Amino acid sequence: MEKLREIMVKDQIEARGVSDERVLRAMRSVERHKFIPGIHISSAYEDHPLPIGHGQTISQPYIVALMTELCELDGDEKVLEIGTGSGYQAAILSLLAKEVYSIEIVEPLAKSARTRLAELGYDRVQVKIGDGYRGWPEKAPFDVIILTASPPRIPQQLIDQLADGGILVAPEGDYTQELVKIVKRGGTVSKKTVTYVRFVPMIHGD
Ligand code: SAH
């Protein structure tokens, strides 16, 4: 399994230009196959997204690595993730930041991710069942916010919960989605498009 992860990192991630050593180390260490129920172990390390039940998917390893690198984590940050899914991205983030708060709208996914993360020892992650459009105001501000489901437009509520100097990384759009990086500094918000992506839509709660 370690070998499979090494190949995944070398061929899918480093080869496409992700170079942050800490990110690569985290990708080598988290046991991706333990986050995908019922999968054949080797499939967990292939170069594409995979179903995790309830019509949802775990992202392609490269996209997880790219988005993590864009977050520029150095270990002290408080991070908010929208779309816990399997908990895999949250596990990666937790190795690189201080605290990870993750929101999942599908209750059974949130519950199984919570159990899985606890069993695997990723104790810096807290999972909440809820609607990510609202963010997690009680824990704000966040140094980094990452969305792993795509809203038609980045919700202002989330930008409001970003700390000064904070970074938000997210897919944005309906059919055509851009991966964007937003930096908030001194009350101004700058945004750039990194690439084009295909995520599940971010759905609205009640
Ligand atoms: N980061 C996940 C993959 C996420 S797939 C992983 O590493 O496995 C996107 C997830 O976002 C799905 O689980 C979906 O249920 C969730 N989601 C969609 N809309 C949401 C919303 N409004 N709030 C919170 N989670 C949402």
Side-chain angles (χ1 to χ4, degrees), residues 133-174:
Y133 281 96
R134 297 197 189 121
W136 198 326
E138 302 79 14
K139 304 288 182 188
F142 298 97
D143 304 299
V144 167
I145 299 180
I146 179 170
L147 278 62
T148 64
S150 188
R153 292 198 51 192
I154 304 297
Q156 184 59 40
Q157 292 233 54
L158 296 182
I159 294 173
D160 291 345
Q161 290 178 30
L162 204 54
D164 191 41
I167 295 175
L168 183 149
V169 175
E172 181 180 31
D174 297 320

Side-chain angles (χ1 to χ4, degrees), residues 24-57:
L24 298 175
R25 208 179 310 139
M27 297 294 299
R28 275 189 215 105
S29 106
V30 177
E31 298 185 291
R32 186 172 158 90
H33 63 278
K34 296 200 173 153
F35 289 79
I36 311 169
I39 191 103
H40 187 272
I41 286 173
S42 63
S43 317
Y45 297 98
E46 287 169 6
D47 194 13
H48 47 73
L50 285 164
I52 53 169
H54 303 272
Q56 303 303 331
T57 53

Side-chain angles (χ1 to χ4, degrees), residues 52 56-59 81-89 103-106 109 130-133 148-149 200-203:
I52 53 169
Q56 303 303 331
T57 53
I58 180 172
S59 307
E81 179 195 29
I82 309 298
T84 317
S86 68
Y88 177 71
Q89 172 78 73
I103 306 175
E104 172 56 56
I105 201 164
V106 177
L109 284 176
D131 182 355
Y133 281 96
T148 64
V200 296
M202 188 164 155
I203 51 185

